[in-house]
Amino acid sequence: MSAILALVRTLASALAIMAGAGVLVLAVLILLDIVGRDLFGVSVQGTDELGGYVLAFVGSLGLSLTLLNRGHPRIDIFLRLFPRPLRAGLHVLAQASIAALGLFMTWHAWGELGETIRFGAVTNTPLQTPLWVPQAVWVAGTAVFALTACLTTLHALMLLASDRAALEHLYGPPTVDEDVAQYTHEETADAGH
């Protein structure tokens, strides 16, 4: 299972890099649009439309890596007060809930994409973008998220039976100490470059 999750992490990292590259390209287009309007009186058409697509890409393509890095928020104010067996069960329940959400999102996204393709829908903008193009990326992002969430749920169930300390470490919300250690590690790594 660890090898499969490592492959999923690699895929999730690649998708997150793609999302970041999309944001970078959008920033360059916005810069060109601003400079072009101010200096030459011309505009890059569709920058606002492309910005909407990039926002959708970033949202869906980043979900998996965020899940693997325990970045999705959880209300855990009383969680640490519960006994470890109860916490372990709640961690599995949280993973299963996220998996159910991922499957629900993918199912609806797939249905939306199917309707878009069936009707040949295009945007009501100067670009006349076929809507299946951005929706396909959106569906891919949600599908990878659903797959990741299902695999992490299966892994959490396996750990529930074999190693509750590992379950707590991998699927419980990060502690304040872990957050601080991650932040200070990033600061130290940045200072070294």
Side-chain angles (χ1 to χ4, degrees):
M1 181 57 100
S2 296
I4 293 171
L5 286 174
L7 286 173
V8 169
R9 179 174 287 282
T10 301
L11 175 61
S13 296
L15 292 176
I17 288 169
M18 287 174 45
V23 171
L24 181 62
V25 168
L26 178 63
V28 170
L29 282 174
I30 291 171
L31 176 67
L32 290 174
D33 196 25
I34 292 169
V35 170
R37 272 190 271 159
D38 285 349
L39 297 180
F40 306 110
V42 295
S43 176
V44 177
Q45 293 296 313
T47 304
D48 55 341
E49 180 180 347
L50 294 173
Y53 300 148
V54 169
L55 180 62
F57 298 166
V58 168
S60 68
L61 296 179
L63 288 171
S64 296
L65 189 60
T66 303
L67 176 63
L68 292 170
N69 289 336
R70 300 186 302 166
H72 291 287
R74 286 179 49 187
I75 301 170
D76 62 347
I77 189 168
F78 297 114
L79 187 65
R80 304 256 179 242
L81 302 177
F82 296 154
R84 180 172 273 181
L86 179 57
R87 282 196 320 254
L90 290 173
H91 297 325
V92 172
L93 178 63
Q95 288 302 120
S97 298
I98 291 173
L101 175 66
L103 291 169
F104 178 78
M105 288 170 54
T106 303
W107 179 59
H108 277 283
W110 183 258
E112 189 71 28
L113 176 62
E115 282 190 31
T116 296
I117 292 171
R118 185 176 44 215
F119 292 115
V122 297
T123 59
N124 179 356
T125 63
L127 292 180
Q128 293 288 297
T129 306
L131 280 175
W132 70 266
V133 175
Q135 285 180 350
V137 176
W138 176 53
V139 169
T142 58
V144 171
F145 173 60
L147 173 66
T148 302
C150 288
L151 288 171
T152 57
T153 300
L154 179 61
H155 189 231
L157 278 168
M158 292 167 57
L159 291 175
L160 181 64
S162 63
D163 189 351
R164 291 190 177 158
L167 173 65
E168 179 88 28
H169 176 71
L170 293 173
Y171 298 110
T175 64
V176 172
D177 292 338
E178 289 172 327
D179 281 339
V180 169
Q182 180 183 6
Y183 177 75
T184 55
H185 173 72
E186 288 174 3
E187 286 292 313
T188 305
D190 289 344
H193 287 99

